[in-house]
Amino acid sequence: MDRKLSKKEEERIVNELNKLQMMEMVDTSVNLTNKCFQACITNFRIRKLDDDEQLCVYKCVEKNIFFTSALNNHFMKLSGEGMF
């Protein structure tokens, strides 16, 4: 059965997908922030991050962005091969 969606149904679906994508991005950002904070921040006696904490946060974020990018590339490759 090949049913065509109305313009209104298409818009509703696109809006819902956009909302889900935005929620996923926010969730990913919050998780990354928590992960790197817990791994790197050790001194709560001063307001600013010390040099070691700054370097740790930078490396943590960089590593996670690299991993996410590699994972996305892998999924794109799989979807191009018809596996998704």
Side-chain angles (χ1 to χ4, degrees):
M1 182 169 161
D2 198 16
R3 186 180 103 120
K4 189 152 176 110
L5 297 174
S6 71
K7 189 73 170 168
K8 195 169 201 161
E9 289 174 318
E10 258 183 61
E11 287 176 8
R12 185 184 61 77
I13 291 171
V14 167
N15 286 337
E16 285 299 314
L17 288 173
N18 286 340
K19 283 182 197 175
L20 289 171
Q21 187 176 25
M22 183 61 74
M23 288 171 44
E24 183 66 27
M25 288 172 47
V26 168
D27 190 45
T28 299
S29 178
V30 168
N31 288 337
L32 176 60
T33 300
N34 287 335
K35 181 184 207 178
C36 293
F37 182 88
Q38 289 175 353
C40 299
I41 309 307
T42 57
N43 185 356
F44 296 97
R45 293 197 169 124
I46 57 175
R47 286 180 168 242
K48 292 187 175 188
L49 301 177
D50 65 29
D51 291 344
D52 290 337
E53 289 172 330
Q54 285 182 354
L55 182 60
C56 180
V57 168
Y58 176 80
K59 286 181 176 181
C60 180
V61 170
E62 184 178 50
K63 184 186 292 185
N64 280 278
I65 288 172
F66 177 79
F67 174 76
T68 301
S69 177
L71 191 60
N72 286 337
N73 289 337
H74 179 70
F75 284 134
M76 284 175 36
K77 181 181 174 189
L78 290 176
S79 69
E81 294 172 358
M83 300 187 98
F84 280 106

